[in-house]
Amino acid sequence: MLIAPSVLSANFGQLDQEIEMINSSSADWFHVDVMDGVFVPNISFGFPVLKQIKKRAHKPIDVHLMIVEPQRYIDEFCIQGADSISVHLEACTHLHRTIQQIKSLNIKAGVAINPHTPIHSLIDIISDIDLVCLMSVNPGFGGQKFIANTYKKVKELKELIIKSSSKALIEIDGGVDFENAPLLKEAGADVLVAGNTVFSHPQPSEAIARLKNT
Ligand code: DX5
Ligand code: ZN
């Protein structure tokens, strides 16, 4: 199981220490949530923060774009240090073109889908992508309650990936905790994003290790 702590829940007053904690933990990726206040009802951060994370991070940076018209900013996110970029299916009129744009930068390309978006909408893109970011909360905020319908979607997605001989990893994003992590693993998840479970823990690196050993 790969673990991607969500920097959104970190303490920005001591970002360097938070990055160091992730570096020295058993986490696999940095998960970086970019919100524009249009696609989602919240604004997080953009290029300067990503640049700062990149300076110190010793692990791949997984950028999750919760923004409209992501194709306008993909090149710059790559320049600023993204190792993978996920765009929302719901935000892309020309999703195939946007995925090709990400791949042309030689970084991993992902598609994120909201809780209401059915797995079958990925049928014609699944063979082209490296990652599916399955939202298990409505995007916009950390610390929300996990939506149980996600288990069924993970299983369905796993079947689709196998049937299509796709290499896509299944990443679960939102409300991941110690209770649902083993069930998500059993259903077929490959990557768990965790914000609140990691950063509200008295020992964040222990929380990461516990999720890792799910
Ligand atoms: C939600 C973000 C998530 C979020 C996860 O819009 O995409 O990555 O930060 O945080 P938790 O684990 O607290 O739900
Ligand atoms: Zn995210």
Side-chain angles (χ1 to χ4, degrees):
M1 186 65 84
L2 301 178
I3 305 300
S6 169
V7 178
L8 183 68
S9 300
N11 180 346
F12 284 83
Q14 46 175 56
L15 189 56
D16 286 355
Q17 284 111 292
E18 300 283 55
I19 295 168
E20 264 323 306
M21 181 280 292
I22 296 175
N23 278 337
S24 56
S25 76
S26 54
D28 297 277
W29 300 346
F30 285 77
H31 184 81
V32 170
D33 288 305
V34 178
M35 305 178 183
D36 66 354
V38 178
F39 182 71
V40 289
N42 194 12
I43 298 175
S44 58
F45 48 74
F47 303 126
V49 173
L50 173 58
K51 194 175 176 182
Q52 184 66 17
I53 297 170
K54 185 66 180 182
K55 266 195 221 156
R56 310 225 165 218
H58 299 150
K59 297 177 180 184
I61 298 183
D62 174 41
V63 173
H64 175 195
L65 295 182
M66 284 159 276
I67 64 175
V68 297
E69 300 192 52
Q71 70 280 0
R72 293 173 56 190
Y73 304 102
I74 282 166
D75 293 19
E76 188 61 22
F77 277 109
C78 179
I79 290 167
Q80 298 299 344
D83 296 285
S84 61
I85 296 182
S86 294
V87 293
H88 266 266
L89 179 145
E90 302 86 0
C92 294
T93 309
H94 302 288
L95 181 61
H96 184 270
R97 178 183 287 151
T98 304
I99 291 301
Q100 301 313 317
Q101 185 188 348
I102 300 172
K103 289 169 80 171
S104 73
L105 301 166
N106 291 316
I107 58 174
K108 288 193 167 75
V111 172
I113 61 169
N114 282 336
H116 75 276
T117 300
I119 294 300
H120 65 74
S121 15
L122 292 166
I123 286 178
D124 291 306
I125 199 74
I126 195 73
S127 309
D128 295 302
I129 59 181
D130 303 295
L131 184 68
V132 175
C133 176
L134 211 54
M135 291 309 302
S136 37
V137 297
N138 286 293
F141 303 93
Q144 299 184 83
K145 192 179 177 300
F146 179 84
I147 297 171
N149 188 51
T150 309
Y151 299 122
K152 181 202 85 179
K153 290 179 82 176
V154 180
K155 287 182 198 144
E156 249 183 83
L157 178 55
K158 191 79 188 173
E159 277 170 30
L160 175 64
I161 287 171
I162 292 168
K163 205 172 78 192
S164 332
S165 310
S166 160
K167 59 180 182 318
L169 296 176
I170 302 178
E171 177 180 58
I172 311 301
D173 189 5
V176 170
D177 61 23
F178 301 128
E179 281 71 52
N180 56 36
L183 302 172
L184 289 165
K185 181 183 181 180
E186 199 182 297
D190 303 297
V191 187
L192 299 179
V193 173
N196 192 51
T197 296
V198 166
F199 289 97
S200 70
H201 195 279
Q203 293 296 332
S205 57
E206 276 176 27
I208 293 169
R210 196 168 154 194
L211 289 170
K212 179 85 187 160
N213 296 326
T214 287

